[in-house]
Amino acid sequence: MASGSDLSRLKEQVASATDIVVLTGAGISADSGVPTFRGKDGLWRNFRAEDLATPEAFERDPRLVWEWYNWRRELIAAKRPNPAHHTIVELEQRCRHFWLITQNVDGLHRDAGSQKLSEIHGNIWMVRCTVCCHVFENRDVPVQIPPKCHDCGGLLRPHIVWFGESLADEDLRRSYAALRSCNLCLIIGTSGLVYPAAGFASVAKEFGAFVAEINLDSTSQSPLVDVSLLGRAKDIVPLLLDPIQ
Ligand code: OAD
């Protein structure tokens, strides 16, 4: 668990920051019951995310990839934002300059009310036509396989950034601009293994921000952050807004 003095230091930073960036990963949604990618419960039929979340896997077997997404859709549809998601909304409302960068595709930040955000890996409730590239919302659970585009009849895929694909230019531009200008960067519930997000903490640090990590365990980012608080996001993040004693 976090040491009291580290928590106090971070609360002071939160209280005085005028420009905050929050980066989240699967750990924040774990507290809402969504399995993380690299935890034991993240496996589906013994496949890892890296085996299924690729353009090659989809080309080889779109049905299998859609079955995996249907499993994830069903799981996520029943989940609600937790106190950590809600605290991030409050930070957004209190702080003059704020940006949330999430790697999560579950949409729980939007459900909580976050508005200033980049969903850099996409959103599970959006689909894209592999032929005409039309992007639209699809909340079906399950999606009928194979899903077809209403416009051109082409095969639909999840509108998610898969391994080996590039993030949207606009998301990268906004994220790096926010990381370069912030004075506080909070890294919550990410293993820090997937780039470019894994490099975001060091960008914020290089540009002078106070960087803090909140995670159940130490990660590859822990040595470079100013404060590392160990514990559940849903327990620790709300404490950041408690009055300073
Ligand atoms: P990971 O599954 O790699 O890591 C989850 C992190 O959350 C780990 O460091 C855990 O220790 C931590 N954690 C678990 N439960 C927690 C809790 N209750 N409170 C705080 N921390 C907790 O997930 P990501 O880092 O998000 O990409 O993975 C990054 C990307 O890899 C994902 O966006 C996804 C994946 O493959 C794509 O799908 C493209």
Coordinates of all heavy atoms in Angstrom, one line a residue, residues 44-45 47 52 58 61-74 142-145 147 158:
W44 N -8.6 -15.9 -23.3 CA -9.8 -16.4 -23.8 C -9.5 -17.6 -24.7 O -8.7 -17.5 -25.6 CB -10.5 -15.3 -24.7 CG -11.8 -15.8 -25.4 CD1 -13.0 -16.0 -24.8 CD2 -11.9 -16.1 -26.8 NE1 -13.9 -16.4 -25.8 CE2 -13.2 -16.5 -27.0 CE3 -11.0 -16.1 -27.9 CZ2 -13.7 -16.9 -28.3 CZ3 -11.4 -16.5 -29.1 CH2 -12.8 -16.9 -29.3
R45 N -10.1 -18.8 -24.3 CA -9.7 -20.0 -25.0 C -8.2 -20.2 -25.1 O -7.8 -20.6 -26.2 CB -10.4 -20.1 -26.4 CG -11.9 -20.1 -26.3 CD -12.4 -20.4 -27.7 NE -13.8 -20.0 -27.9 CZ -14.4 -19.9 -29.1 NH1 -13.7 -20.1 -30.2 NH2 -15.6 -19.5 -29.2
F47 N -6.0 -18.1 -25.9 CA -5.4 -17.1 -26.7 C -5.0 -15.9 -25.9 O -5.7 -15.5 -25.0 CB -6.3 -16.6 -27.9 CG -6.6 -17.7 -28.9 CD1 -7.9 -18.3 -28.8 CD2 -5.7 -18.0 -29.9 CE1 -8.2 -19.3 -29.8 CE2 -6.1 -19.0 -30.8 CZ -7.3 -19.6 -30.8
L52 N -4.7 -12.4 -31.1 CA -6.0 -12.1 -31.8 C -6.2 -10.7 -32.2 O -6.9 -10.4 -33.2 CB -7.2 -12.4 -30.8 CG -7.2 -13.9 -30.3 CD1 -8.2 -14.0 -29.2 CD2 -7.7 -14.8 -31.5
F58 N -7.1 -11.3 -38.0 CA -8.4 -11.1 -38.6 C -8.5 -11.6 -40.0 O -9.5 -12.1 -40.5 CB -8.7 -9.6 -38.5 CG -10.1 -9.2 -38.9 CD1 -11.2 -9.6 -38.0 CD2 -10.4 -8.6 -40.1 CE1 -12.5 -9.2 -38.3 CE2 -11.7 -8.2 -40.4 CZ -12.8 -8.6 -39.5
D61 N -8.7 -15.4 -39.8 CA -9.9 -16.0 -39.3 C -10.8 -14.9 -38.6 O -10.8 -14.8 -37.4 CB -9.5 -17.1 -38.2 CG -10.7 -18.0 -37.8 OD1 -11.8 -17.6 -38.1 OD2 -10.4 -19.0 -37.2
P62 N -11.5 -14.2 -39.5 CA -12.3 -13.1 -38.9 C -13.4 -13.6 -37.9 O -13.7 -12.9 -36.9 CB -13.0 -12.4 -40.1 CG -12.7 -13.3 -41.3 CD -11.6 -14.2 -40.9
R63 N -13.9 -14.8 -38.1 CA -14.9 -15.3 -37.2 C -14.3 -15.5 -35.8 O -15.0 -15.1 -34.8 CB -15.4 -16.7 -37.8 CG -16.3 -17.4 -36.8 CD -17.0 -18.6 -37.6 NE -17.9 -18.2 -38.6 CZ -19.2 -17.8 -38.4 NH1 -19.7 -17.9 -37.1 NH2 -19.9 -17.4 -39.3
L64 N -13.1 -16.0 -35.7 CA -12.5 -16.3 -34.4 C -12.3 -14.9 -33.7 O -12.6 -14.8 -32.5 CB -11.2 -17.0 -34.6 CG -10.4 -17.2 -33.3 CD1 -11.0 -18.3 -32.5 CD2 -8.9 -17.6 -33.6
V65 N -11.8 -13.9 -34.4 CA -11.6 -12.6 -33.8 C -12.9 -12.0 -33.4 O -13.0 -11.4 -32.3 CB -10.8 -11.7 -34.8 CG1 -10.6 -10.3 -34.2 CG2 -9.4 -12.3 -35.1
W66 N -13.9 -12.1 -34.2 CA -15.2 -11.5 -33.8 C -15.8 -12.3 -32.6 O -16.5 -11.7 -31.7 CB -16.2 -11.5 -35.0 CG -16.2 -10.2 -35.7 CD1 -15.9 -10.0 -37.0 CD2 -16.6 -8.9 -35.1 NE1 -16.0 -8.6 -37.3 CE2 -16.4 -8.0 -36.1 CE3 -17.0 -8.5 -33.9 CZ2 -16.7 -6.6 -36.0 CZ3 -17.3 -7.2 -33.7 CH2 -17.1 -6.2 -34.7
E67 N -15.5 -13.6 -32.5 CA -16.0 -14.4 -31.4 C -15.4 -13.9 -30.1 O -16.0 -13.7 -29.0 CB -15.8 -15.9 -31.5 CG -16.8 -16.5 -32.5 CD -16.4 -18.0 -32.8 OE1 -15.4 -18.5 -32.3 OE2 -17.2 -18.5 -33.6
W68 N -14.1 -13.5 -30.2 CA -13.4 -13.0 -29.0 C -14.0 -11.6 -28.7 O -14.2 -11.3 -27.5 CB -11.9 -12.8 -29.4 CG -11.0 -12.3 -28.3 CD1 -10.9 -12.7 -27.0 CD2 -10.1 -11.1 -28.4 NE1 -10.0 -11.9 -26.3 CE2 -9.5 -10.9 -27.1 CE3 -9.8 -10.3 -29.4 CZ2 -8.6 -9.9 -26.9 CZ3 -8.8 -9.3 -29.2 CH2 -8.3 -9.1 -27.9
Y69 N -14.2 -10.8 -29.7 CA -14.8 -9.5 -29.4 C -16.2 -9.6 -28.8 O -16.6 -8.8 -28.0 CB -14.7 -8.5 -30.6 CG -13.3 -7.9 -30.6 CD1 -12.4 -8.3 -31.5 CD2 -13.0 -6.9 -29.7 CE1 -11.1 -7.7 -31.6 CE2 -11.7 -6.3 -29.7 CZ -10.8 -6.7 -30.7 OH -9.5 -6.1 -30.7
N70 N -16.9 -10.6 -29.3 CA -18.3 -10.8 -28.7 C -18.2 -11.2 -27.3 O -19.0 -10.7 -26.4 CB -19.0 -11.9 -29.5 CG -19.8 -11.3 -30.7 OD1 -20.1 -10.0 -30.7 ND2 -20.2 -12.1 -31.6
W71 N -17.2 -12.0 -26.9 CA -17.0 -12.3 -25.5 C -16.7 -11.1 -24.7 O -17.2 -10.8 -23.6 CB -15.8 -13.3 -25.4 CG -15.4 -13.7 -24.0 CD1 -16.0 -14.4 -23.1 CD2 -14.1 -13.3 -23.4 NE1 -15.3 -14.5 -21.9 CE2 -14.1 -13.8 -22.1 CE3 -13.0 -12.5 -23.8 CZ2 -13.0 -13.6 -21.2 CZ3 -11.9 -12.3 -23.0 CH2 -12.0 -12.9 -21.7
R72 N -15.8 -10.2 -25.2 CA -15.4 -9.0 -24.5 C -16.6 -8.0 -24.5 O -16.8 -7.4 -23.5 CB -14.2 -8.3 -25.2 CG -12.9 -9.1 -25.0 CD -11.7 -8.3 -25.4 NE -11.5 -7.1 -24.5 CZ -10.9 -7.0 -23.3 NH1 -10.5 -8.1 -22.8 NH2 -10.8 -5.9 -22.7
R73 N -17.4 -7.9 -25.6 CA -18.6 -7.0 -25.6 C -19.5 -7.4 -24.5 O -20.1 -6.6 -23.8 CB -19.3 -7.1 -26.9 CG -18.6 -6.2 -28.0 CD -19.3 -6.4 -29.3 NE -18.9 -5.3 -30.2 CZ -19.6 -4.4 -30.8 NH1 -20.9 -4.4 -30.7 NH2 -19.1 -3.5 -31.6
E74 N -19.8 -8.8 -24.4 CA -20.8 -9.2 -23.4 C -20.3 -8.9 -22.0 O -21.1 -8.4 -21.2 CB -21.0 -10.7 -23.6 CG -22.2 -11.2 -22.9 CD -22.5 -12.7 -23.2 OE1 -22.0 -13.2 -24.2 OE2 -23.1 -13.3 -22.4
P142 N -24.7 -10.3 -29.0 CA -23.5 -10.3 -29.7 C -23.7 -9.7 -31.1 O -24.8 -9.6 -31.6 CB -23.2 -11.8 -29.9 CG -24.6 -12.4 -29.9 CD -25.4 -11.6 -29.0
V143 N -22.5 -9.4 -31.7 CA -22.6 -9.0 -33.2 C -22.8 -10.2 -34.0 O -22.2 -11.3 -33.7 CB -21.2 -8.4 -33.5 CG1 -21.0 -8.2 -35.0 CG2 -21.0 -7.0 -32.8
Q144 N -23.7 -10.1 -35.0 CA -23.9 -11.3 -35.8 C -22.7 -11.5 -36.8 O -22.3 -10.5 -37.4 CB -25.2 -11.0 -36.7 CG -26.0 -12.3 -36.8 CD -27.2 -12.1 -37.6 OE1 -27.6 -11.0 -38.0 NE2 -27.9 -13.2 -38.0
I145 N -22.2 -12.7 -36.8 CA -21.0 -12.9 -37.5 C -21.3 -13.6 -38.8 O -22.0 -14.6 -38.8 CB -20.0 -13.8 -36.7 CG1 -19.7 -13.1 -35.3 CG2 -18.7 -14.1 -37.5 CD1 -18.9 -14.0 -34.4
P147 N -20.3 -9.7 -39.6 CA -21.0 -8.4 -39.7 C -20.7 -7.8 -41.0 O -19.6 -7.8 -41.5 CB -20.5 -7.6 -38.5 CG -19.2 -8.2 -38.2 CD -19.2 -9.6 -38.6
P158 N -13.7 -4.5 -35.8 CA -13.7 -3.6 -34.7 C -12.9 -2.4 -35.1 O -11.8 -2.5 -35.7 CB -13.1 -4.4 -33.6 CG -13.2 -5.9 -34.0 CD -13.1 -5.9 -35.5

